[in-house]
Amino acid sequence: MNDKAALYADVRKQIASVIAGETSVTARYASAACLLREAFGTRFFWTGFYVVDSLKPTELVVGPYQGTLGCLRIPIGRGVCGAAAASGQTQLVTDVNAFPGHIACDSRSNSEIVVPVFDRDGGLAAVLDIDSTQLGAFDLEDQAGLEAICGDLLTL
């Protein structure tokens, strides 16, 4: 196992330990955002969740995050977060400026990975959004690590 894979495995264990028995989804997301940001430092410029709004189910609303001010709402289907929400698939974007319809919440962001979070019934609950100021900051190893973590968030 290389260093990045080992770091993801370690962070996954930390998150699982902290959220074990926690019934608040907000607390689960806040803990995950904090521990991911702490583990990956400045490479993770913005780390947080956009949650499906139960009152406006065609929109994501900003949830717990670490970083600069995020967009408050994102329509499902728009931008990288909206694409992940609409498709139910991780979006790994090496250059956000080349992504059609990218929503620039902070112009310093250059690459992004967005991972869907599903509830116990398989419904979309949120997306984990991580931005970097670096181009091409994320790869398939990041995708695998983050998908494993997101798979645990509402099932543990």
Side-chain angles (χ1 to χ4, degrees), residues 34-57:
C34 176
L35 290 170
L36 282 165
R37 178 70 183 264
E38 288 296 313
F40 289 94
T42 58
R43 186 166 74 95
F44 284 21
F45 174 68
W46 196 95
T47 306
F49 293 86
Y50 283 94
V51 180
V52 176
D53 187 334
S54 60
L55 299 177
K56 294 182 179 180

Side-chain angles (χ1 to χ4, degrees), residues 1-148:
M1 187 180 304
N2 68 34
D3 290 342
K4 188 166 32 168
L7 183 54
Y8 273 111
D10 184 54
V11 173
R12 184 179 182 192
K13 287 179 193 170
Q14 289 177 40
I15 292 169
S17 175
V18 170
I19 67 172
E22 178 53 61
T23 58
S24 168
V25 173
T26 301
R28 286 170 170 258
Y29 292 160
S31 297
C34 176
L35 290 170
L36 282 165
R37 178 70 183 264
E38 288 296 313
F40 289 94
T42 58
R43 186 166 74 95
F44 284 21
F45 174 68
W46 196 95
T47 306
F49 293 86
Y50 283 94
V51 180
V52 176
D53 187 334
S54 60
L55 299 177
K56 294 182 179 180
T58 61
E59 294 181 1
L60 300 168
V61 63
V62 71
Y65 69 91
Q66 302 274 314
T68 61
L69 184 65
C71 296
L72 295 183
R73 293 188 171 272
I74 298 174
I76 291 178
R78 286 205 51 228
V80 181
C81 290
S87 69
Q89 300 290 316
T90 297
Q91 303 294 305
L92 196 157
V93 180
T94 58
D95 180 356
V96 296
N97 297 305
F99 189 89
H102 174 254
I103 300 169
C105 299
D106 189 311
S107 62
R108 293 173 287 179
S109 178
N110 283 306
S111 62
E112 185 171 5
I113 186 167
V114 181
V115 181
V117 178
F118 299 101
D119 62 25
R120 284 185 170 84
D121 299 323
L124 181 71
V127 297
L128 169 62
D129 178 22
I130 302 176
D131 293 14
S132 178
T133 57
Q134 304 166 18
L135 285 169
F138 308 106
D139 58 23
L140 293 176
E141 198 165 27
D142 293 293
Q143 181 173 338
L146 293 168
E147 285 177 348

